[in-house]
Amino acid sequence: MDSKNMVLYGLAAIAGFFILRALYRGIRGRQMLQERLLKEYRQALNGIDRPIALAAGRAYFSFLRGNNELAQIDEQMIANDMKAMPQEKSQSLQEDSNDIISKLERLAKLKEQGVLNDAEFYEQKAKILSL
């Protein structure tokens, strides 16, 4: 084997190495992106922001399909996943407590004005607090 052929084989080996490395990095990069999208989707499902969870689910399933389109079954899976999401209880509890406070304040004003006697006041107060 002459030196010219050895150089050609060496260059071919080096080129093959770089081609294989690029393919590996492309495959690994795709795997890393898929893992990141799945992680973001799971985190969004643990939160209470439904639009963020929907967007993350669509991004993940669109990536899996590879064509940036979603099938009907993808939308159904996202909807099923979103059914298990925690509901927005903190905001509704705050609204309920604000409503109760405003009702109690109005009731106290009526008692101060003499519209309600003590028995009526306590009766109405019990009704408001029992809600």
Side-chain angles (χ1 to χ4, degrees), residues 17-85:
F17 167 77
F18 283 109
I19 290 171
L20 289 175
R21 188 175 81 171
L23 287 173
Y24 173 76
R25 285 185 177 173
I27 292 169
R28 183 64 189 135
R30 184 170 166 73
Q31 289 172 341
M32 290 173 59
L33 179 57
Q34 180 178 349
E35 290 168 4
R36 182 179 59 85
L37 289 171
L38 179 59
K39 181 180 176 184
E40 289 173 359
Y41 181 44
R42 286 182 178 162
Q43 286 175 343
L45 288 173
N46 288 329
I48 57 171
D49 195 344
R50 300 179 82 70
I52 289 177
L54 181 62
R58 287 179 173 164
Y60 174 67
F61 284 105
S62 174
F63 176 80
L64 289 181
R65 292 248 173 237
N67 58 3
N68 290 332
E69 293 182 12
L70 294 175
Q72 185 176 4
I73 192 161
D74 298 330
E75 292 286 353
Q76 289 173 342
M77 287 191 289
I78 293 169
N80 287 340
D81 289 343
M82 289 177 64
K83 286 179 185 175
M85 285 180 67

